[in-house]
Amino acid sequence: MRTLRTADARFADLPGFDLAPRYADVPDPDGGTLRMAWVEAGPSDGPVVLLLHGEPSWSFLYRAMIPVLADAGLRAVAPDLVGFGRSDKPTELADHSYARHVEWVRALAFDALDLREVTLVGQDWGGLIGLRLVAEHPDRFAAVVAANTGLPTGDVDMPEVWWQFRRAVEKAETLDIARLVQSGCRTRLDDAVRAAYDAPFPDESYKAGPRAMPTLVPTRPDDPATEANRAAWAALSGSDVPFLCAFSDGDPITGAMGPILQRTMPGAAGREHPTITGAGHFLQEDAGPALAAEVARFVSAVR
């Protein structure tokens, strides 16, 4: 597996994100290793909140949430998925699969960091990956926050706006990462923030991860990930893990999943699920402190 590693200089002077990166190696499918990066803040013995980003962002997305969570006494851990952020970047689309991304995050969170009693916060692909981990390793999780995410099986078609996004990614000769993030926000990103989203990707050779991810979402019943995702639905629908849906009021991609998760997850029953107002798909950008406050309240309530 050929990989690229973004130079540290690309991450100089990130606005509002001065946390020092940490690194650990996880196995690759060819018998080698990949370096994964993460940042964290808060007391080392505090309740763990695992913040998983999605496509095409990186842990920078959580910069407004991490201080709020840390101030609430939580240990906020925000990894960069393989192919994103400061993590190593396999260069071929075929290097990426849903199963591999689940395994890479599992290896970092459990083998390298030995995280336990975890509250998952998953948005976009962070939920697609994280919910699989909750279903497959329930002993590691104390609670779940689903924020603009889901767990598709391909049995129901994705919304047209998502198909438009996928086609745009597939056809783009030059993939404009910052523009993709901006398109999912209600707030206007300034030049420094846009540059930070572009920072992990010096040129097109680094972008196999962002290019691959839309193609890995199950869109048909016989997708390679469908069986595992159906099994995850079965496990989660029989689990009493405390479950909070914190969806925004302006996400056309995943908005329909909020009510479904609330109805399906036993741990969501009888709970008041907040709507994060004034936010689009990337609600961490549009309303990060508000989402972080909801997460902190939830963790405090269920402990």
Side-chain angles (χ1 to χ4, degrees):
M1 180 182 290
R2 179 174 175 264
T3 63
L4 297 171
R5 182 171 294 174
T6 306
D8 291 343
R10 297 275 302 181
F11 301 101
D13 301 320
L14 296 168
F17 196 60
D18 58 359
L19 294 171
R22 310 182 188 201
Y23 302 101
D25 290 335
V26 300
D28 73 23
D30 298 331
T33 60
L34 295 165
R35 190 180 78 169
M36 288 188 71
W38 79 96
V39 296
E40 65 174 82
S44 61
D45 60 349
V48 176
V49 179
L50 180 63
L51 306 166
L52 295 183
H53 72 85
E55 156 83 351
S57 64
W58 58 294
S59 58
F60 176 78
L61 180 70
Y62 283 101
R63 69 193 181 284
M65 293 182 59
I66 291 173
V68 177
L69 298 172
D71 288 346
L74 306 178
R75 180 187 174 192
V77 178
D80 294 335
L81 300 182
V82 168
F84 298 81
R86 294 182 173 101
S87 291
D88 283 350
K89 297 168 180 69
T91 60
E92 301 300 321
L93 295 180
D95 293 333
H96 297 268
S97 73
Y98 196 145
R100 286 180 177 182
H101 278 280
V102 171
E103 173 56 21
W104 286 328
V105 176
R106 186 210 64 78
L108 176 69
F110 303 154
D111 295 345
L113 299 181
D114 195 27
L115 301 181
R116 299 178 183 273
E117 294 296 306
V118 175
T119 295
L120 167 71
V121 177
Q123 182 262 343
D124 192 86
W125 263 100
L128 272 69
I129 293 168
L131 291 173
R132 279 274 298 272
L133 290 174
V134 176
E136 295 167 8
H137 306 276
D139 57 311
R140 292 283 186 157
F141 289 91
V144 175
V145 179
N148 288 1
T149 193
L151 192 61
T153 61
D155 297 304
V156 177
D157 197 12
M158 298 293 288
E160 176 57 26
V161 66
W162 180 85
W163 281 107
Q164 292 172 5
F165 166 76
R166 173 171 166 166
R167 290 191 290 267
V169 171
E170 288 179 312
K171 293 178 181 178
E173 183 175 341
T174 300
L175 193 61
D176 189 336
I177 301 296
R179 182 179 179 183
L180 292 177
V181 176
Q182 178 64 84
S183 69
C185 298
R186 286 188 170 180
T187 53
R188 178 57 55 184
L189 306 182
D190 65 30
D191 289 345
V193 170
R194 291 174 69 101
Y197 282 114
D198 285 331
F201 310 106
D203 60 49
E204 296 306 300
S205 66
Y206 287 75
K207 298 178 184 177
R211 286 190 179 277
M213 289 309 242
T215 70
L216 304 182
V217 175
T219 58
R220 61 183 193 276
D222 61 346
D223 187 275
T226 290
E227 183 177 350
N229 280 16
R230 285 182 183 148
W233 272 107
L236 292 169
S237 64
S239 169
D240 60 358
V241 63
F243 202 106
L244 185 73
C245 293
F247 280 59
S248 73
D249 62 349
D251 183 13
I253 297 175
T254 65
M257 282 302 307
I260 294 171
L261 291 170
Q262 290 179 38
R263 293 194 303 267
T264 305
M265 303 304 163
R271 198 176 303 283
E272 184 176 346
H273 299 274
T275 298
I276 309 301
T277 59
H281 182 62
F282 295 105
L283 70 174
Q284 304 97 318
E285 272 294 339
D286 291 327
L291 176 59
E294 295 291 353
V295 172
R297 280 193 287 269
F298 174 59
V299 173
S300 177
V302 301
R303 284 187 62 78

